[in-house]
Amino acid sequence: MPGDSLQVNINTKGKVANTFDAIVIGSGISGGWAAKELCEHGLKTLVLERGRNVEHNKDYPTAIKDPWDFPHRGKLPNALVKENPIISKCYAFDETAQHFFVKDKEHAYVQEKPFDWIRGYQVGGKSLMWARETQRWSRYEFEAPARDGFAVDWPIRYDDIAPWYAHVEKFAGISGNKDGVEHLPDSEFLPPWQFNEVEKVIQQRVNTHYKDRQMLMGRCAHLTEPAAIHLEQGRGKCQARNMCQRGCPYGGYFSSNSSTLPWAKKTGNLTLQPDSVVHSIIYDDEKGKASGVRVINAQTKEVTEYFAKVIFVNAACLNSNLILLNSTSDRFPNGLGNDHDILGRYMAFQNYRGSLSATIDGFEDTYYYGRRPVSPLMPSFRNVYQQQTDFKRGYLVFWGAYRNRGKEIPDASVGSGFKESMSEAGEWSVYMSMQGEVIPKVENHLSLSKNLKDEWGIPQLITSIGYDDNDEKMVKDFLEQGAEILTVAGCKNIVPRDSKQAPGLDIHEMGGARMGKDPATSILNKWNQVHSCKNVFVTDGACMTSVGNQNPSLTFMAITARAANYAIDELKKGNL
Ligand SMILES: Cc1cc2nc3c(=O)[nH]c(=O)nc-3n(C[C@H](O)[C@H](O)[C@H](O)COP(=O)(O)OP(=O)(O)OC[C@H]3O[C@@H](n4cnc5c(N)ncnc54)[C@H](O)[C@@H]3O)c2cc1C
Ligand code: SF4
């Protein structure tokens, strides 16, 4: 058994009380979906969450505060930045939302190569602070590894997952426009957000100039017009305040806290247990499957075992890898399901390094109202239908126009002149940023430290993940193409920027326990079951064979719902 110190104190009393039909590890976006599906189908489900409880609305202490209610007007004080050099790089970590983020000193890890690991340890996980951009993958992403010769072939295709996209979209509520683009398929949409006047002009110029590039309205998990299913969840219409990472009192955006977890609770089948750090999965050699999990109480450090017929691993990509690597037994000395040294390897993420800024003249008589919580986008136009460049795969572009607040007054930040200038609208600016597909590689990997442990006696995670030549070429191409597109759009003062930021800050890490057809080259089968331990399902970012250029969480939701419904069917048939 791993973690020898645990052996002495395990509380195995009340095995019956500790036995459930299903255990879900993690209560974030994917864990919430697993819980909802399993509970709805009658399974007594235990959700184990390492962080504190966060109840919808009740535990959003800053949600309706104004800037003057915060000691630093919502900005980060220098001392907090100094104490948190990693997490303070994340745009959403500010005085208004900092309570939902893991601080640097709280949960150490080892960066063999620089990796900014952004985490939210609480009920709801990162579903509370995410930016809610949600696009489907197309068939081209699922076919890419086989076509372009990297990673391994996905064991599923777009048609396998399309019904599950529809299933989660209707419940979560996704706004967007039906654009009919084959490589960015439409969702089951609520009404879209609107372009502002400058974006309409840019869209017209760009869409006329290019055959392969278009500006579309972004798709996001916001209730622009709640349907009956959303009202039944107790959620209401989004008020366009864009203060979402504080938690939304209206339930205007999708989070586990506002949507899937309360829904699961209503069934009477959910046991949600915060402060429960999963140490490892218990493997039963005789039965040839997992029997449960070992849990350490976050406060008391007491160790308890819980048992179930089926286990869903949804601790978010890196932590799910950590749990699997730490789940050692006679049968799996190198981690659960890790017969071929694949676990923790082929890690990938999305390349956010490139951005451009520009200005556009005129339009002084136009403005917009409300804070639209989504950005327009341009679907990938590189290497979609055929290989066109000297790098593999492509990038999605987020872009849009906004009007600056205030006229420029050199060096002023106080005084009546400054105050008056702030009451006038400034010039229009245009921004552009990339979301590039990173190719999974064997050398981009995770492992466990042999000597460093965390407060709960669990080995610290070592990240060894970096860029390669493909990523460098992609950034260069984006900056060149972006400048060209902005010129076509009529922009001036175009400034390209390569932030050189470390991987991780994209917060779209994926892989390590990838899906595949062959147990020798992958950890999970097409239903997200560990090939060699079929009652363990991994359905968060860890399962991803490749990463696409779209935001990933909608795909995690769909994959989770699909796998959970398969598990339910298999349980009914007595196969698990
Ligand atoms: C600022 C920000 C912006 C983002 N924007 C977007 C976006 O626009 N679109 C998009 O698609 N994605 C976005 N993301 C990423 C998105 O939040 C994640 O992809 C998503 O939350 C992953 O879901 P998950 O269930 O895998 O993990 P999480 O939501 O992180 O949930 C994992 C849960 O597991 C718990 N846990 C971890 N280890 C253990 C353990 N050992 N025992 C018990 N519990 C454990 C954690 O505490 C956590 O609650 C963003 C993230 C952030 C932070
Ligand atoms: S913008 Fe919408 S979802 Fe976000 S906090 Fe405001 S009302 Fe809620």
Side-chain angles (χ1 to χ4, degrees):
M1 196 187 82
D4 294 340
S5 56
L6 291 178
Q7 239 166 347
V8 188
N9 299 319
I10 288 180
N11 170 8
T12 49
K13 278 184 223 143
K15 186 163 179 186
V16 174
N18 286 359
T19 300
F20 296 80
D21 295 323
I23 290 174
V24 177
I25 306 172
S27 64
I29 289 188
S30 62
W33 268 100
K36 173 192 169 288
E37 299 296 316
L38 297 168
C39 288
E40 254 184 331
H41 287 86
L43 269 65
K44 294 285 175 199
T45 303
L46 172 67
V47 174
L48 294 162
E49 166 55 53
R50 70 172 302 149
R52 68 189 168 96
N53 196 13
V54 171
E55 266 184 55
H56 178 52
N57 224 345
K58 175 172 160 277
D59 295 321
Y60 304 154
T62 57
I64 52 167
K65 285 195 172 170
D66 286 307
W68 49 88
D69 296 325
F70 296 94
H72 306 91
R73 306 291 178 261
K75 303 266 183 291
L76 284 180
N78 281 342
L80 199 63
V81 174
K82 231 169 151 187
E83 262 173 43
N84 294 281
I86 297 171
I87 188 68
S88 60
K89 289 182 204 165
C90 175
Y91 75 93
F93 180 72
D94 63 12
E95 199 177 27
T96 71
Q98 51 134 333
H99 46 284
F100 290 144
F101 288 85
V102 169
K103 311 286 183 308
D104 290 3
K105 280 192 189 136
E106 289 171 354
H107 298 278
Y109 62 102
V110 183
Q111 300 177 62
E112 212 162 64
K113 292 182 187 166
F115 186 90
D116 295 326
W117 191 7
I118 311 298
R119 291 163 286 174
Y121 288 173
Q122 61 252 325
V123 167
K126 298 194 291 285
S127 78
L128 283 165
M129 318 94 86
W130 71 315
R132 311 156 310 277
E133 306 268 354
T134 36
Q135 315 94 30
R136 286 189 185 194
W137 276 31
S138 73
R139 71 183 183 88
Y140 297 100
E141 281 68 51
F142 289 103
E143 290 167 9
R147 190 194 78 175
D148 293 351
F150 64 91
V152 287
D153 190 10
W154 275 87
I156 56 172
R157 288 288 184 265
Y158 178 72
D159 289 346
D160 294 306
I161 196 152
W164 296 101
Y165 274 133
H167 177 76
V168 299
E169 287 160 358
K170 284 184 212 153
F171 189 82
I174 307 295
S175 83
N177 187 50
K178 288 221 178 276
D179 296 304
V181 175
E182 199 198 355
H183 59 285
L184 197 75
D186 294 329
S187 292
E188 295 285 336
F189 285 136
L190 301 174
W193 294 90
Q194 298 303 311
F195 293 104
N196 62 42
E197 294 306 312
V198 174
E199 288 164 350
K200 282 182 197 162
V201 172
I202 291 178
Q203 184 192 39
Q204 198 266 331
R205 288 175 183 164
V206 169
N207 293 10
T208 317
H209 184 89
Y210 293 105
K211 280 204 175 67
D212 62 344
R213 306 175 196 195
Q214 350 175 10
M215 183 187 236
L216 308 178
M217 181 40 68
R219 294 120 187 236
C220 66
H222 282 253
L223 301 182
T224 44
E225 211 52 74
I229 186 71
H230 308 122
L231 298 174
E232 215 182 316
Q233 294 168 41
R235 298 170 57 202
K237 184 172 169 140
C238 171
Q239 308 293 311
R241 308 171 328 136
N242 204 2
M243 300 181 350
C244 318
Q245 63 264 23
R246 306 176 186 188
C248 178
Y250 308 96
Y253 74 94
F254 170 84
S255 67
S256 304
N257 312 63
S258 66
S259 180
T260 42
L261 291 175
W263 195 265
K265 191 175 169 195
K266 268 204 283 191
T267 64
N269 292 324
L270 174 73
T271 304
L272 172 63
Q273 196 170 296
D275 291 319
S276 302
V277 184
V278 172
H279 169 280
S280 51
I281 295 165
I282 306 163
Y283 183 77
D284 184 327
D285 272 312
E286 267 174 37
K287 293 189 180 141
K289 59 183 183 179
S291 56
V293 297
R294 243 169 245 118
V295 174
I296 307 174
N297 183 295
Q299 314 300 338
T300 64
K301 313 273 159 66
E302 187 187 15
V303 181
T304 308
E305 291 183 346
Y306 294 90
F307 306 95
K309 293 176 200 134
V310 59
I311 297 164
F312 269 71
V313 187
N314 296 101
C317 177
L318 264 56
N319 272 315
S320 288
N321 274 281
L322 193 164
I323 292 168
L324 294 171
L325 285 164
N326 202 34
S327 300
T328 53
S329 57
D330 289 343
R331 166 69 185 84
F332 295 112
N334 300 314
L336 191 82
N338 194 18
D339 287 331
H340 302 279
D341 192 23
I342 298 291
L343 187 61
R345 296 194 176 277
Y346 298 97
M347 291 298 305
F349 54 98
Q350 288 181 331
N351 185 344
Y352 266 48
R353 274 175 36 188
S355 65
L356 297 108
S357 61
T359 58
I360 190 161
D361 286 343
F363 307 98
E364 273 112 24
D365 56 346
T366 63
Y367 202 70
Y368 45 85
Y369 297 94
R371 297 184 197 140
R372 187 183 63 200
V374 66
S375 176
L377 56 78
M378 177 177 277
S380 175
F381 53 88
R382 286 303 207 201
N383 307 322
V384 178
Y385 300 101
Q386 63 197 39
Q387 186 64 36
Q388 299 163 303
T389 65
D390 62 348
F391 59 87
K392 285 191 165 82
R393 309 305 299 147
Y395 44 83
L396 181 142
V397 175
F398 290 111
W399 62 324
Y402 63 98
R403 202 156 181 191
N404 293 291
R405 188 189 293 182
K407 297 266 184 221
E408 281 293 318
I409 298 189
D411 299 328
S413 57
V414 286
S416 60
F418 177 67
K419 194 176 106 188
E420 270 158 37
S421 84
M422 293 298 284
S423 63
E424 290 187 48
E427 65 180 348
W428 283 89
S429 292
V430 179
Y431 64 90
M432 199 178 238
S433 59
M434 70 182 288
Q435 185 167 275
E437 176 166 353
V438 169
I439 304 298
K441 292 170 289 279
V442 65
E443 59 274 19
N444 273 348
H445 71 280
L446 303 167
S447 56
L448 298 187
S449 171
K450 295 203 170 29
N451 44 28
L452 294 172
K453 296 202 168 173
D454 69 10
E455 207 184 314
W456 298 271
I458 297 172
Q460 286 188 20
L461 193 69
I462 303 175
T463 59
S464 191
I465 299 169
Y467 295 104
D468 71 1
D469 195 41
N470 200 68
D471 305 314
E472 300 295 338
K473 285 180 179 160
M474 194 184 282
V475 174
K476 185 168 174 287
D477 186 73
F478 164 71
L479 293 177
E480 286 166 5
Q481 296 303 313
E484 184 195 294
I485 296 164
L486 288 172
T487 307
V488 167
C491 295
K492 297 195 335 198
N493 303 316
I494 298 166
V495 182
R497 181 168 173 259
D498 176 356
S499 70
K500 307 257 182 203
Q501 68 189 45
L505 204 51
D506 46 289
I507 328 179
H508 292 169
E509 56 271 12
M510 287 174 251
R514 68 183 180 188
M515 295 168 76
K517 293 172 180 160
D518 182 356
T521 57
S522 59
I523 299 292
L524 308 172
N525 69 12
K526 66 176 178 178
W527 297 108
N528 295 76
Q529 296 169 285
V530 173
H531 283 297
S532 47
C533 184
K534 293 267 185 316
N535 66 335
V536 175
F537 292 75
V538 183
T539 67
D540 58 17
C543 78
M544 300 294 280
T545 309
S546 61
V547 307
N549 59 73
Q550 295 87 341
N551 289 71
S553 304
L554 184 67
T555 301
F556 303 165
M557 296 187 211
I559 279 184
T560 301
R562 177 177 179 269
N565 280 273
Y566 176 78
I568 292 157
D569 289 347
E570 287 296 282
L571 278 170
K572 280 187 198 150
K573 289 182 203 156
N575 290 344
L576 291 176

